[in-house]
């Protein structure tokens, strides 16, 4: 977590994410790349002229806000780069990740109202689903990422162990306990023996030793993730993603979105490779 991308629209939610990102950078001797994508009104963007008075006005206003943010007290002592760029938010974020070879994206979200209501709307959902690097979604105001217990929810698919390895690295960097969670639901019920065998197969040859693993029975995956995390007083929820296909196996469709949307805790996703 040496190079961290933080998109911003200057909202309080984006500031929350920036505060957390700054804390991660300090603790890992990393640097931040702050990005504001100025999505110009359609008539200006289509003209392709950045010299039009309206375009100049929007750019000047964004630059003033950006410069003020760079001077915020909570960023003191952190190496930070960035600028205002024009263009679509999603493509701008992905390009910035590749250009700087970043290893983490930190984004803000509007509480439990959902990822679709994040500051860049549907673009944020695209980032979570398509990012090659981990994406940390921050909900509420935090001065720092204070994580003691990290719950990594998994379907125990052996093909997803690369995400588990990245989650273990994230846990090490943030100095927290990694809890491995499998939610056993009525629709896909496994006996205790079957579930234990799946856990053993999942952990075989990955060289990851979570603080513990739990087979948790609940009515749905979403309820199981939230209830177990509450039971252990977890501070962070993690999941794996399959890129364009979304979150892995039972983490697809409405289930995946519900977990990211409705969690009051930060959520971090890891791309399966």
């Amino acid at each position: 977590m040496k190079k961290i991308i933080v998109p911003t629209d200057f909202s309080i939610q984006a500031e929350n994410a920036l505060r957390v990102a700054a804390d991660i950078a300090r603790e890992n001797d990393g640097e931040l790349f702050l990005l504001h994508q100025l999505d110009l009104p359609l008539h200006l963007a289509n003209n392709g002229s950045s010299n039009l008075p309206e375009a100049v006005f929007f750019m000047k206003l964004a630059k003033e806000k950006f410069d003020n943010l760079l001077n915020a007290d909570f960023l003191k002592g952190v190496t930070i780069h960035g600028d205002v760029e024009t263009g679509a938010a999603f493509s701008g974020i992905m390009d910035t990740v590749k250009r700087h070879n970043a290893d983490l994206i930190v984004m803000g979200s509007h509480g439990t109202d959902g990822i679709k209501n994040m500051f860049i709307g549907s673009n944020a959902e695209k980032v979570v689903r398509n990012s090659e690097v981990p994406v940390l979604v921050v909900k509420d105001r935090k001065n720092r990422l204070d994580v003691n217990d990290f719950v990594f929810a998994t379907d125990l698919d052996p093909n997803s162990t690369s995400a588990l390895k990245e989650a273990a690295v994230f846990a090490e960097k943030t100095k927290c306990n990694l809890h491995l969670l499998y939610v056993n639901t009525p629709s896909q019920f496994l006996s205790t023996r079957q579930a234990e065998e799946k856990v053993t197969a999942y952990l075989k040859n990955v060289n990851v030793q979570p603080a513990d693993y739990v087979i948790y029975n609940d009515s749905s995956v979403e309820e199981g993730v939230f209830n177990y995390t509450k039971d252990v007083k977890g501070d962070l929820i993690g999941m794996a993603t399959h890129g364009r296909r979304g979150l892995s196996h039972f983490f697809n469709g409405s289930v995946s979105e519900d977990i990211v949307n409705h969690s009051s805790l930060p959520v971090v996703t890891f791309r399966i490779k």
Side-chain angles (χ1 to χ4, degrees), residues 210-225:
D212 58 16
Y213 69 83
V214 172
I215 301 162
Y216 196 91
N217 298 322
D218 215 318
S219 58
S220 70
V221 173
E222 180 190 0
E223 289 299 314
V225 171

Side-chain angles (χ1 to χ4, degrees), residues 164-182:
L164 173 63
K165 293 176 182 178
E166 286 200 74
V169 171
F170 190 93
E172 180 183 358
K173 296 294 185 181
T174 54
K175 301 178 177 64
C176 64
N177 299 314
L178 178 64
H179 303 271
L180 186 66
L181 171 66
Y182 174 75

Side-chain angles (χ1 to χ4, degrees), residues 13-33:
Q13 290 79 22
E15 182 182 314
N16 293 342
L18 183 56
R19 288 175 180 271
V20 168
D23 180 55
I24 295 174
R26 283 192 192 92
E27 295 190 357
N28 292 278
D29 193 26
E31 52 188 331
L32 301 183
F33 295 85

